Coordinates of all heavy atoms in Angstrom, one line a residue:
M1 N 94.2 105.9 105.2 CA 93.6 105.0 106.2 C 92.2 105.3 106.4 O 91.7 106.5 106.3 CB 94.5 105.3 107.5 CG 93.9 104.5 108.7 SD 95.1 104.8 110.1 CE 93.8 104.8 111.4
S2 N 91.4 104.3 106.7 CA 90.1 104.4 107.0 C 89.9 103.4 108.2 O 90.8 102.7 108.6 CB 89.2 104.1 105.9 OG 89.4 102.8 105.4
G3 N 88.7 103.5 108.8 CA 88.4 102.6 109.8 C 87.2 102.9 110.5 O 86.2 103.4 109.8
H4 N 87.1 102.7 111.8 CA 85.9 103.0 112.6 C 86.2 103.8 113.9 O 87.3 103.6 114.5 CB 85.2 101.7 113.0 CG 84.6 100.9 111.9 ND1 85.4 100.1 111.1 CD2 83.4 101.0 111.4 CE1 84.6 99.6 110.2 NE2 83.4 100.1 110.3
V5 N 85.3 104.7 114.1 CA 85.3 105.4 115.4 C 84.2 104.8 116.2 O 83.4 104.1 115.7 CB 85.3 106.9 115.4 CG1 86.5 107.5 114.6 CG2 84.0 107.3 114.7
V6 N 84.2 105.1 117.5 CA 83.1 104.7 118.3 C 82.4 105.8 118.9 O 83.0 106.7 119.6 CB 83.6 103.7 119.5 CG1 82.4 103.3 120.3 CG2 84.3 102.5 118.9
W7 N 81.1 106.0 118.6 CA 80.3 107.1 119.0 C 79.1 106.5 119.8 O 78.3 105.8 119.3 CB 79.7 107.9 117.8 CG 78.7 108.9 118.2 CD1 77.3 108.9 118.0 CD2 78.9 110.2 118.9 NE1 76.7 110.0 118.5 CE2 77.7 110.8 119.0 CE3 80.0 110.7 119.4 CZ2 77.6 112.1 119.6 CZ3 79.9 112.1 120.0 CH2 78.7 112.7 120.1
K8 N 79.1 106.9 121.1 CA 78.1 106.4 122.0 C 78.0 104.9 122.0 O 76.9 104.3 121.9 CB 76.7 107.0 121.7 CG 76.7 108.6 121.9 CD 75.4 109.1 121.4 CE 74.1 108.7 122.2 NZ 73.0 109.4 121.7
G9 N 79.0 104.3 121.8 CA 79.2 102.8 121.8 C 78.8 102.2 120.4 O 79.0 101.0 120.3
R10 N 78.7 102.9 119.5 CA 78.3 102.5 118.1 C 79.5 102.7 117.1 O 80.0 103.7 117.1 CB 77.0 103.3 117.6 CG 76.7 103.0 116.2 CD 75.6 104.0 115.8 NE 75.4 104.0 114.3 CZ 74.9 105.0 113.7 NH1 74.3 106.0 114.3 NH2 74.9 105.1 112.4
R11 N 79.8 101.7 116.4 CA 81.0 101.9 115.5 C 80.5 102.7 114.2 O 79.4 102.4 113.6 CB 81.4 100.5 115.0 CG 82.2 99.7 116.0 CD 82.4 98.2 115.6 NE 82.9 98.1 114.2 CZ 84.0 97.9 113.8 NH1 85.1 97.9 114.7 NH2 84.3 97.7 112.6
V12 N 81.3 103.6 113.9 CA 80.9 104.6 112.7 C 82.2 104.6 111.8 O 83.2 104.9 112.3 CB 80.7 106.0 113.3 CG1 80.5 106.9 112.1 CG2 79.5 106.0 114.2
A13 N 81.9 104.2 110.6 CA 83.1 104.1 109.6 C 83.5 105.6 109.2 O 82.8 106.5 109.2 CB 82.6 103.4 108.4
F14 N 84.8 105.7 108.9 CA 85.2 106.9 108.3 C 86.2 106.7 107.2 O 86.7 105.5 107.1 CB 86.0 107.8 109.4 CG 87.3 107.2 109.9 CD1 88.5 107.5 109.3 CD2 87.3 106.4 111.0 CE1 89.7 107.0 109.7 CE2 88.4 105.9 111.4 CZ 89.6 106.1 110.9
R15 N 86.5 107.7 106.3 CA 87.4 107.6 105.3 C 88.7 108.5 105.7 O 88.6 109.4 106.5 CB 86.8 108.1 104.0 CG 85.7 107.2 103.5 CD 85.2 107.7 102.2 NE 84.4 108.8 102.5 CZ 83.6 109.4 101.6 NH1 83.5 109.0 100.4 NH2 82.8 110.3 101.9
R16 N 89.8 108.2 105.1 CA 90.9 108.9 105.4 C 90.9 110.3 105.3 O 90.3 110.9 104.3 CB 92.1 108.4 104.4 CG 93.5 109.0 104.7 CD 94.5 108.5 103.9 NE 94.2 108.8 102.5 CZ 95.1 108.6 101.5 NH1 96.3 108.1 101.7 NH2 94.8 109.0 100.4
G17 N 91.3 111.0 106.3 CA 91.3 112.5 106.4 C 90.0 113.1 106.8 O 89.8 114.3 106.8
E18 N 88.9 112.3 107.0 CA 87.6 112.7 107.3 C 87.5 113.2 108.9 O 88.2 112.6 109.7 CB 86.6 111.6 107.1 CG 85.2 112.1 107.2 CD 84.3 110.9 106.7 OE1 84.5 109.8 106.8 OE2 83.2 111.4 106.1
S19 N 86.8 114.3 109.1 CA 86.7 114.8 110.5 C 85.6 114.0 111.2 O 84.8 113.3 110.5 CB 86.2 116.3 110.5 OG 84.9 116.3 110.1
L20 N 85.7 114.0 112.4 CA 84.7 113.2 113.2 C 83.3 113.7 112.9 O 82.3 112.9 112.7 CB 84.9 113.4 114.7 CG 83.9 112.8 115.6 CD1 83.8 111.2 115.4 CD2 84.2 113.0 117.1
A21 N 83.1 115.1 112.8 CA 81.8 115.6 112.5 C 81.3 115.1 111.1 O 80.1 114.8 110.9 CB 81.8 117.1 112.4
S22 N 82.2 115.0 110.1 CA 81.8 114.5 108.9 C 81.4 113.0 108.9 O 80.4 112.6 108.3 CB 82.9 114.7 107.8 OG 82.6 114.2 106.5
A23 N 82.2 112.2 109.5 CA 81.9 110.8 109.6 C 80.6 110.6 110.3 O 79.8 109.7 109.9 CB 83.1 110.1 110.4
L24 N 80.3 111.3 111.4 CA 79.0 111.2 112.1 C 77.9 111.6 111.2 O 76.8 111.0 111.2 CB 79.1 112.0 113.4 CG 80.0 111.5 114.5 CD1 80.0 112.5 115.6 CD2 79.7 110.1 114.9
S25 N 78.1 112.8 110.5 CA 77.0 113.2 109.6 C 76.7 112.1 108.5 O 75.6 111.8 108.3 CB 77.5 114.5 109.0 OG 76.5 114.9 108.1
V26 N 77.7 111.6 107.9 CA 77.6 110.5 106.9 C 76.7 109.4 107.5 O 75.9 108.7 106.8 CB 78.9 110.1 106.3 CG1 78.7 108.8 105.4 CG2 79.5 111.2 105.5
A27 N 77.0 109.1 108.8 CA 76.3 108.0 109.4 C 74.9 108.4 109.9 O 74.2 107.6 110.5 CB 77.1 107.5 110.6
G28 N 74.5 109.6 109.7 CA 73.2 110.1 110.0 C 73.1 110.7 111.4 O 72.0 110.9 111.9
V29 N 74.2 110.9 112.1 CA 74.2 111.4 113.4 C 74.3 113.0 113.2 O 75.3 113.5 112.8 CB 75.4 110.9 114.2 CG1 75.5 111.6 115.6 CG2 75.4 109.4 114.4
R30 N 73.2 113.7 113.6 CA 73.3 115.2 113.7 C 73.3 115.7 115.1 O 73.8 116.8 115.3 CB 72.1 115.6 113.0 CG 71.9 115.1 111.5 CD 73.0 115.8 110.6 NE 72.7 115.6 109.2 CZ 72.8 114.5 108.5 NH1 73.3 113.4 109.1 NH2 72.5 114.4 107.2
D31 N 72.7 114.9 116.0 CA 72.7 115.4 117.5 C 73.9 115.1 118.1 O 74.3 113.8 118.3 CB 71.4 114.7 118.0 CG 71.2 115.0 119.5 OD1 72.0 115.8 120.1 OD2 70.3 114.6 120.1
L32 N 74.6 116.0 118.6 CA 76.0 115.8 119.2 C 75.8 116.0 120.8 O 76.9 116.1 121.4 CB 77.0 116.7 118.7 CG 77.3 116.6 117.2 CD1 78.4 117.5 116.8 CD2 77.7 115.1 116.9
G33 N 74.6 116.0 121.2 CA 74.4 116.2 122.7 C 73.9 117.5 123.1 O 73.2 118.2 122.3
R34 N 74.1 117.9 124.4 CA 73.5 119.2 124.9 C 74.7 119.9 125.6 O 75.4 119.2 126.4 CB 72.4 118.9 125.9 CG 71.2 118.2 125.3 CD 70.1 119.2 124.9 NE 69.2 118.5 124.0 CZ 68.5 119.2 123.1 NH1 68.5 120.5 123.1 NH2 67.6 118.5 122.4
A35 N 74.6 121.2 125.4 CA 75.5 122.0 126.2 C 74.9 122.2 127.7 O 73.8 121.9 128.0 CB 75.7 123.4 125.6
A36 N 75.8 122.8 128.6 CA 75.3 122.9 130.0 C 74.1 123.8 130.0 O 73.2 123.8 130.9 CB 76.5 123.5 130.8
T37 N 74.0 124.8 129.0 CA 72.7 125.6 129.0 C 71.6 124.9 128.4 O 70.5 125.5 128.4 CB 73.1 126.8 128.0 OG1 73.4 126.2 126.7 CG2 74.3 127.7 128.4
G38 N 71.7 123.7 128.0 CA 70.5 122.9 127.5 C 70.4 123.1 125.9 O 69.7 122.4 125.3
Q39 N 71.3 123.9 125.3 CA 71.3 124.1 123.8 C 71.8 122.8 123.2 O 72.8 122.2 123.7 CB 72.2 125.3 123.5 CG 72.3 125.5 122.0 CD 73.3 126.7 121.7 OE1 73.6 127.5 122.5 NE2 73.6 126.8 120.4
A40 N 71.2 122.5 122.1 CA 71.5 121.3 121.4 C 72.9 121.5 120.7 O 73.2 122.6 120.2 CB 70.5 121.0 120.3
R41 N 73.8 120.6 120.9 CA 75.1 120.6 120.1 C 74.9 119.9 118.7 O 74.4 118.9 118.6 CB 76.2 119.9 121.0 CG 76.5 120.5 122.3 CD 78.0 120.2 122.6 NE 78.5 120.7 123.8 CZ 78.8 122.0 124.1 NH1 78.8 122.8 123.2 NH2 79.1 122.3 125.3
A42 N 75.5 120.6 117.8 CA 75.5 120.1 116.4 C 76.5 120.9 115.6 O 77.0 122.0 116.2 CB 74.1 120.3 115.8
V43 N 76.8 120.4 114.5 CA 77.8 121.2 113.6 C 77.1 122.4 113.0 O 76.0 122.4 112.5 CB 78.2 120.3 112.4 CG1 79.1 121.1 111.5 CG2 79.0 119.1 112.9
F44 N 77.7 123.6 113.2 CA 77.2 124.9 112.8 C 78.1 125.5 111.8 O 77.8 125.6 110.6 CB 76.9 125.8 114.0 CG 76.3 127.2 113.5 CD1 75.0 127.2 113.0 CD2 77.0 128.3 113.7 CE1 74.5 128.4 112.5 CE2 76.4 129.5 113.2 CZ 75.2 129.5 112.7
C45 N 79.3 125.9 112.3 CA 80.2 126.7 111.4 C 81.1 125.7 110.6 O 81.5 125.9 109.5 CB 81.1 127.6 112.2 SG 82.4 126.8 113.3
G46 N 81.5 124.6 111.2 CA 82.3 123.6 110.5 C 83.8 124.0 110.4 O 84.6 123.3 109.8
I47 N 84.2 125.1 111.1 CA 85.6 125.6 110.9 C 86.2 125.8 112.3 O 87.1 126.5 112.4 CB 85.7 126.8 110.0 CG1 84.8 127.9 110.6 CG2 85.3 126.4 108.6 CD1 85.0 129.2 109.9
G48 N 85.7 125.3 113.4 CA 86.2 125.5 114.7 C 86.0 126.8 115.4 O 86.7 127.1 116.4
Q49 N 85.1 127.5 115.0 CA 84.9 128.9 115.6 C 83.7 128.9 116.6 O 83.7 129.6 117.5 CB 84.6 129.9 114.4 CG 85.8 130.1 113.5 CD 87.0 130.6 114.3 OE1 87.0 131.6 115.0 NE2 88.1 129.9 114.2
C50 N 82.6 128.2 116.3 CA 81.4 128.4 117.2 C 81.4 127.5 118.4 O 80.7 127.9 119.3 CB 80.2 128.1 116.3 SG 79.9 126.4 116.0
Q51 N 82.3 126.5 118.5 CA 82.3 125.6 119.7 C 81.0 124.8 119.9 O 80.8 124.3 120.9 CB 82.6 126.3 121.0 CG 83.8 127.2 120.8 CD 85.1 126.4 120.8 OE1 85.5 125.7 121.8 NE2 85.8 126.3 119.7
N52 N 80.1 124.8 118.9 CA 78.8 124.1 119.1 C 78.9 122.6 118.8 O 77.9 121.9 119.0 CB 77.7 124.8 118.2 CG 76.4 124.4 118.6 OD1 76.1 124.7 119.9 ND2 75.5 124.1 117.7
C53 N 80.1 122.1 118.4 CA 80.2 120.7 118.1 C 81.1 120.1 119.1 O 81.6 119.0 118.8 CB 80.7 120.6 116.7 SG 82.4 121.1 116.5
L54 N 81.2 120.6 120.3 CA 82.1 120.0 121.3 C 81.6 118.6 121.6 O 80.4 118.5 122.0 CB 82.2 121.0 122.5 CG 83.0 122.2 122.3 CD1 83.0 123.1 123.6 CD2 84.5 121.9 121.9
V55 N 82.5 117.7 121.7 CA 82.3 116.3 122.1 C 83.4 115.9 123.0 O 84.4 116.5 123.1 CB 82.2 115.3 120.9 CG1 81.0 115.6 120.0 CG2 83.4 115.3 120.2
R56 N 83.2 114.9 123.7 CA 84.2 114.4 124.8 C 85.0 113.2 124.0 O 84.4 112.2 123.7 CB 83.6 113.9 126.0 CG 84.6 113.8 127.1 CD 83.9 113.9 128.5 NE 83.5 115.1 128.8 CZ 84.2 116.1 129.4 NH1 85.4 115.9 129.6 NH2 83.7 117.3 129.7
V57 N 86.3 113.3 124.0 CA 87.1 112.3 123.4 C 88.3 112.1 124.4 O 89.0 113.1 124.7 CB 87.7 112.8 122.1 CG1 88.7 111.8 121.5 CG2 86.6 113.0 121.0
E58 N 88.3 110.8 124.8 CA 89.4 110.5 125.8 C 89.4 111.4 127.0 O 90.5 111.9 127.5 CB 90.7 110.5 125.2 CG 90.8 109.3 124.1 CD 92.0 109.2 123.3 OE1 93.0 110.1 123.6 OE2 92.1 108.4 122.5
G59 N 88.1 111.8 127.5 CA 88.0 112.6 128.6 C 88.1 114.1 128.5 O 88.0 114.9 129.3
R60 N 88.5 114.6 127.2 CA 88.6 116.0 126.9 C 87.6 116.5 125.9 O 87.3 115.8 125.0 CB 90.0 116.2 126.4 CG 91.1 115.8 127.4 CD 92.4 116.3 126.9 NE 92.4 117.8 127.0 CZ 93.4 118.5 127.4 NH1 94.4 118.0 127.9 NH2 93.2 119.8 127.4
L61 N 87.2 117.7 126.1 CA 86.3 118.3 125.1 C 87.1 118.8 123.9 O 88.2 119.4 124.0 CB 85.7 119.5 125.7 CG 84.6 119.2 126.8 CD1 84.0 120.5 127.3 CD2 83.5 118.3 126.1
T62 N 86.6 118.4 122.7 CA 87.2 118.9 121.5 C 86.1 119.1 120.4 O 85.0 118.6 120.5 CB 88.2 117.8 121.0 OG1 89.0 118.3 119.8 CG2 87.5 116.5 120.6
E63 N 86.4 119.9 119.4 CA 85.6 120.2 118.3 C 85.5 119.1 117.4 O 86.6 118.7 116.8 CB 86.0 121.6 117.6 CG 85.9 122.8 118.4 CD 87.3 123.0 119.1 OE1 88.1 122.2 119.1 OE2 87.4 124.2 119.6
A64 N 84.3 118.5 117.1 CA 84.2 117.4 116.2 C 84.6 117.7 114.7 O 84.9 116.9 114.0 CB 82.8 116.8 116.3
C65 N 84.4 119.0 114.4 CA 84.6 119.5 113.1 C 86.1 119.5 112.8 O 86.4 119.7 111.6 CB 83.9 120.8 112.8 SG 84.5 122.2 113.6
L66 N 86.9 119.7 113.9 CA 88.3 119.8 113.6 C 89.2 118.5 113.8 O 90.3 118.4 113.5 CB 89.0 120.9 114.6 CG 88.4 122.3 114.4 CD1 89.1 123.3 115.3 CD2 88.6 122.7 112.9
L67 N 88.5 117.6 114.5 CA 89.2 116.3 114.8 C 89.2 115.3 113.7 O 88.1 114.9 113.2 CB 88.5 115.7 116.1 CG 89.1 114.4 116.6 CD1 90.5 114.7 117.1 CD2 88.2 113.8 117.6
I68 N 90.4 114.9 113.2 CA 90.5 114.0 112.2 C 90.4 112.6 112.8 O 91.1 112.3 113.8 CB 91.8 114.2 111.4 CG1 91.9 115.6 110.8 CG2 92.0 113.1 110.3 CD1 90.8 115.9 109.8
C69 N 89.6 111.8 112.2 CA 89.3 110.5 112.7 C 90.5 109.6 112.6 O 91.4 109.6 111.8 CB 88.2 109.7 111.9 SG 86.6 110.4 112.1
K70 N 90.7 108.8 113.8 CA 91.7 107.7 113.9 C 90.9 106.4 114.2 O 90.0 106.5 115.0 CB 92.7 108.1 114.9 CG 93.5 109.3 114.7 CD 94.5 109.5 115.8 CE 95.3 110.8 115.6 NZ 96.0 111.3 116.8
D71 N 91.4 105.4 113.7 CA 90.8 104.1 114.0 C 90.8 103.8 115.4 O 91.8 104.0 116.2 CB 91.5 103.0 113.3 CG 90.7 101.7 113.1 OD1 89.4 101.8 113.0 OD2 91.3 100.6 113.2
G72 N 89.6 103.5 116.0 CA 89.4 103.1 117.4 C 89.2 104.3 118.3 O 89.0 104.1 119.5
L73 N 89.1 105.5 117.8 CA 88.9 106.7 118.6 C 87.4 106.6 119.2 O 86.6 106.2 118.5 CB 88.9 107.9 117.6 CG 88.7 109.3 118.3 CD1 89.4 110.3 117.6 CD2 87.2 109.7 118.2
V74 N 87.3 106.8 120.5 CA 86.1 106.8 121.2 C 85.6 108.2 121.6 O 86.3 108.9 122.2 CB 86.2 105.9 122.5 CG1 84.9 105.9 123.3 CG2 86.7 104.6 122.1
A75 N 84.4 108.5 121.1 CA 83.8 109.9 121.4 C 82.4 109.7 121.9 O 81.7 108.8 121.6 CB 83.8 110.7 120.2
D76 N 82.1 110.6 122.8 CA 80.8 110.7 123.4 C 80.3 112.1 123.4 O 81.1 113.1 123.5 CB 80.8 110.1 124.8 CG 81.0 108.7 124.8 OD1 80.0 107.9 124.4 OD2 82.1 108.2 125.1
P77 N 79.0 112.3 123.6 CA 78.4 113.7 123.8 C 78.9 114.2 125.1 O 79.2 113.5 126.0 CB 76.9 113.5 123.9 CG 76.7 112.1 123.4 CD 77.9 111.3 123.5
D78 N 79.1 115.5 125.2 CA 79.4 116.2 126.5 C 78.2 116.2 127.4 O 78.4 115.9 128.6 CB 79.9 117.6 126.2 CG 80.2 118.2 127.5 OD1 81.0 117.6 128.3 OD2 79.8 119.4 127.7
D79 N 77.1 116.3 126.9 CA 75.8 116.3 127.7 C 75.9 117.1 128.9 O 75.7 116.7 130.0 CB 75.4 114.9 128.0 CG 74.7 114.2 126.8 OD1 74.3 115.0 126.0 OD2 74.7 113.0 126.7
G80 N 76.3 118.4 128.7 CA 76.2 119.4 129.8 C 77.4 119.5 130.7 O 77.4 120.3 131.7
G81 N 78.4 118.7 130.5 CA 79.6 118.7 131.4 C 80.3 120.0 131.4 O 81.1 120.3 132.3
G82 N 80.2 120.7 130.2 CA 80.9 121.9 130.2 C 82.4 121.8 129.7 O 83.0 120.8 129.5
H83 N 83.1 122.9 129.7 CA 84.5 122.9 129.4 C 85.4 122.2 130.5 O 85.1 122.2 131.7 CB 85.0 124.4 129.2 CG 84.4 125.0 128.0 ND1 84.9 124.9 126.7 CD2 83.3 125.7 127.8 CE1 84.2 125.5 125.9 NE2 83.2 126.0 126.5
D84 N 86.5 121.8 130.0 CA 87.5 121.2 130.9 C 88.3 122.2 131.8 O 88.3 123.3 131.4 CB 88.6 120.4 130.1 CG 88.1 119.2 129.5 OD1 87.1 118.6 130.1 OD2 88.6 118.7 128.5
Ligands
FES1 S1 80.9 123.4 114.1 FE1 81.6 125.2 114.9 S2 83.4 124.6 116.1 FE2 82.7 122.9 115.1

């Protein structure tokens, strides 16, 4: 399955089995927002350990590098909101 996710209101294509971080990267998106500390969020480890790629999906924070895309998934930067 492939399709589109929505990042900051923009449709981003993905391929089957692709993580959100990967789909965003392919689309040229590297900036995933800002942590509450002001630190830029981006993919660092790519394996779910650093928590630096946290984004908000359906109201919850999740690691973009671990989240497999589903058609119609809506994601936004956390922008300092912090952990749930
Ligand atoms: S990049 Fe480290 S948890 Fe996602």
Side-chain angles (χ1 to χ4, degrees):
M1 178 176 141
S2 60
H4 292 84
V5 297
V6 179
W7 172 253
K8 296 172 65 174
R10 171 183 161 201
R11 284 168 49 98
V12 174
F14 68 89
R15 291 181 288 188
R16 183 175 64 171
E18 192 169 28
S19 71
L20 177 60
S22 175
L24 292 176
S25 179
V26 169
V29 176
R30 303 291 195 279
D31 179 359
L32 300 182
R34 299 262 165 206
T37 60
Q39 179 181 346
R41 290 213 189 273
V43 175
F44 181 67
C45 72
I47 58 171
Q49 296 299 305
C50 72
Q51 307 288 295
N52 201 44
C53 67
L54 289 175
V55 296
R56 194 161 291 275
V57 176
E58 298 175 357
R60 301 192 62 137
L61 289 176
T62 190
E63 296 91 347
C65 68
L66 298 180
L67 181 65
I68 301 302
C69 291
K70 294 179 185 169
D71 197 33
L73 180 145
V74 177
D76 290 288
D78 178 45
D79 283 337
H83 290 274
D84 288 335

